[in-house]
Amino acid sequence: LDRIDLRQDAEGLALAGGRYLTRRVYEELGRSALGEAQTRVEWQLTPDLTLITSFAEDGEQRASLRWREEEEAH
């Protein structure tokens, strides 16, 4: 595993773990406090832009873009 995520939400503790499939693709499998399974995939499209998708056991699907601007060192 490359990352482990343990977080508290309104229902209790959620646990997820994942690994990089390539340098730009990360896959994570998790389980919510209610026992629902979820899969999340992050694709780094450019150094500043990442597409994040998630699929839940109940059929819920989400997609989002994350943009990050690095500050230049002076």
Side-chain angles (χ1 to χ4, degrees), residues 24-39:
R24 296 179 176 237
V25 178
Y26 173 77
E27 181 182 41
E28 181 177 89
L29 302 175
R31 195 144 303 266
S32 73
L34 299 176
E36 298 171 343
Q38 182 178 26
T39 301

Side-chain angles (χ1 to χ4, degrees), residues 7-50:
R7 64 181 155 240
Q8 177 77 34
D9 60 20
E11 288 81 31
L13 289 175
L15 176 66
R19 68 177 308 148
Y20 285 91
L21 303 176
T22 69
R23 278 183 346 121
R24 296 179 176 237
V25 178
Y26 173 77
E27 181 182 41
E28 181 177 89
L29 302 175
R31 195 144 303 266
S32 73
L34 299 176
E36 298 171 343
Q38 182 178 26
T39 301
R40 175 178 157 153
V41 181
E42 298 179 10
W43 287 277
Q44 184 180 11
L45 304 174
T46 70
D48 298 327
L49 187 65
T50 302

